[in-house]
Amino acid sequence: MAGKLYLCATPIGNLEDITFRVLKTLEEADLIAAEDTRHSIKLLNHFNIRTPMTSYHEYNKVEKARYLVEKMQEGLQIALITDAGTPGISDPGEELVRQCCEAGIEVTSLPGAAACITALTISGLPTRRFCFEAFLPGEKADRKERQRILEELKQETRTIILYEAPHHLEKTLTDLYEALGDRRTAVCRELTKKYETAFRTTLKEAAEFYKKEEPKGEFVIIIEGKAAEAIEEEKKRSWEAMSIEEHMKIYTDQGTDRKEAMKLVAKDRGVSKREIYQHLNVKG
């Protein structure tokens, strides 16, 4: 019988956050694939787990995934762990899962800690709708891609979740403030640990704070989404900046009949259809 891949969530700080199910799976698996074996051995030693480990990380993820899939096809049960949190969330586990699915290998996920959800729930910002952006592309490596994503986030109405390393934090907060404006934010660090903090402030104040204060630890930044009313107001202003004739042409060029186009133009501009009709008749 073919083996199986177990995605095992590990603690993001507090070792007591590991589940009984994960411990049992790590003990019974034939092999543990770990992002950093030197880091993970401390966790396994703490819980007296002696299962063999192999490295699986960003720089060998494609080739090593093929090897691991072959082993599972031979019948091995493999547990995947990341340095902290849930495998597959902003880490190379995504590639292994993809290859397993393509090969018909069964994959199951053992729930547990995830820094993005932990930070979101203590942020004080809306949690019903959110988007996870992970790490922004590095400014030096891919500035255009970074700017493209920041442009997209300008119009995001859902709560935004980002990860950031301490040495990039101040620059990222400044870029976010310049791109999104001064929105409410929660800058979270040391999650689940003794000195866990959720700095509830604004992007501007957070950027100014970390210009003076040296950031320490890994950070999760939670940012409120753009108000839907603000987006509608921006759209209305953009419509009002053009003539009604130009506005009509946008719809008629799409094949919309004149009567329906007048309705749409009126709705966009927040006026009555009669007002649009009278304007066009007078012009005509």
Side-chain angles (χ1 to χ4, degrees):
M1 291 179 65
K4 186 173 178 179
L5 178 66
Y6 298 83
L7 306 177
C8 297
T10 53
I12 58 175
N14 192 320
L15 291 179
E16 294 182 2
D17 289 335
I18 201 164
T19 68
F20 291 123
R21 185 180 172 206
V22 166
L23 289 175
K24 185 172 185 289
T25 299
L26 293 176
E27 287 175 347
E28 296 179 352
D30 297 305
L31 182 66
I32 296 172
E35 188 173 7
D36 184 340
T37 56
R38 295 166 303 177
H39 175 85
S40 296
I41 193 63
K42 298 173 185 176
L43 176 74
L44 299 186
N45 286 343
H46 181 83
F47 291 106
N48 199 31
I49 295 170
R50 301 294 178 230
T51 306
M53 268 198 300
T54 188
S55 63
Y56 177 77
H57 49 72
E58 184 65 29
Y59 303 104
N60 72 355
K61 63 181 181 182
V62 176
E63 191 175 295
K64 191 62 172 282
R66 293 194 193 105
Y67 167 81
L68 294 173
V69 167
E70 287 175 4
K71 290 299 179 184
M72 284 181 275
Q73 287 172 330
E74 294 171 4
L76 263 65
Q77 309 296 317
I78 295 180
L80 177 66
I81 57 176
T82 184
D83 286 349
T86 301
I89 302 296
S90 190
D91 78 18
E94 179 183 9
E95 174 65 23
L96 179 55
V97 171
R98 184 187 67 79
Q99 289 196 31
C100 283
C101 292
E102 290 177 353
I105 300 293
E106 187 178 354
V107 180
T108 189
S109 183
L110 284 59
C116 52
I117 299 301
T118 303
L120 175 67
T121 54
I122 66 171
S123 68
L125 294 171
T127 60
R128 190 179 73 83
R129 298 174 67 246
F130 58 90
C131 68
F132 176 60
E133 192 57 49
F135 290 90
L136 289 176
E139 189 181 36
K140 292 182 180 178
D142 202 341
R143 183 177 295 183
K144 287 185 179 179
E145 179 67 5
R146 183 182 179 93
Q147 288 304 315
R148 184 188 67 78
I149 291 173
L150 287 170
E151 283 296 319
E152 287 181 0
L153 292 179
K154 280 184 183 181
Q155 302 303 315
E156 180 57 69
T157 58
R158 296 170 294 180
T159 300
I160 301 163
I161 307 173
L162 294 167
Y163 287 164
E164 193 50 276
H167 53 290
H168 293 308
L169 181 68
E170 187 271 320
K171 173 61 176 170
T172 292
L173 288 170
T174 299
D175 287 352
L176 287 165
Y177 167 60
E178 291 174 353
L180 311 183
D182 200 15
R183 304 205 194 162
R184 288 189 299 156
T185 189
V187 182
C188 304
R189 61 180 291 274
E190 292 293 282
L191 292 169
T192 76
K193 300 178 185 178
K194 182 177 181 180
Y195 296 107
E196 173 182 282
T197 58
F199 180 26
R200 301 177 185 90
T201 180
T202 67
L203 286 174
K204 182 181 180 182
E205 290 178 352
E208 290 174 348
F209 177 82
Y210 283 108
K211 282 178 182 175
K212 304 170 186 174
E213 189 80 14
E214 181 185 0
K216 294 179 181 178
E218 298 300 314
F219 289 82
V220 184
I221 307 168
I222 313 294
I223 309 163
E224 71 173 335
K226 187 169 187 175
E229 296 82 0
I231 292 177
E232 288 305 313
E233 185 60 32
E234 283 182 4
K235 286 181 180 177
K236 185 179 176 183
R237 285 200 297 269
S238 71
W239 293 128
E240 290 172 347
M242 66 176 70
S243 69
I244 291 176
E245 289 77 12
E246 291 170 328
H247 199 160
M248 282 286 293
K249 191 173 185 299
I250 290 173
Y251 289 115
T252 55
D253 283 353
Q254 296 171 2
T256 308
D257 66 61
R258 185 175 171 81
K259 186 175 180 181
E260 181 62 23
M262 284 193 287
K263 286 183 182 178
L264 294 171
V265 169
K267 183 179 179 182
D268 289 342
R269 301 171 87 93
V271 299
S272 68
K273 181 188 167 187
R274 177 183 292 275
E275 189 173 327
I276 301 300
Y277 176 79
Q278 289 176 340
H279 173 89
L280 293 173
N281 273 357
V282 169
K283 288 286 186 181

